[in-house]
Amino acid sequence: MARVIVDVMLKPEILDPQGQAIARALPRLGFSGVTSVRQGKRFELELDGPADEAALAEVRKMAETLLANTVIEDFTVRVE
């Protein structure tokens, strides 16, 4: 059994209003030193078998099809 992580983030050129709201809220809550925030999504997938190249290709296809909107989001796949 293997665990694969898919991280999904807005592309750099896409405005991130949630990240901006978080960045504005941090100083009000007493946190300083943060200049920018980008918010994303993390998916943890547990696979039946090993995380070989075929399984990772299938996870990439899942990410492209369902987990990420590839028009405005980028994703990375990694084995944990």
Side-chain angles (χ1 to χ4, degrees), residues 9-60:
M9 296 293 293
L10 287 171
K11 291 183 177 182
E13 62 271 14
I14 302 296
L15 182 66
D16 184 359
Q18 289 177 303
Q20 290 175 342
I22 293 166
R24 286 191 304 271
L26 288 172
R28 291 194 308 265
L29 296 171
F31 299 102
S32 62
V34 177
T35 59
S36 178
V37 177
R38 304 274 303 166
Q39 188 211 349
K41 300 178 279 191
R42 173 185 163 122
F43 298 92
E44 296 182 3
L45 306 172
E46 293 200 13
L47 307 180
D48 283 339
D52 57 13
E53 201 49 50
L56 293 177
E58 189 73 9
V59 170
R60 285 186 200 95

Side-chain angles (χ1 to χ4, degrees), residues 8 55 79:
V8 180
V79 178

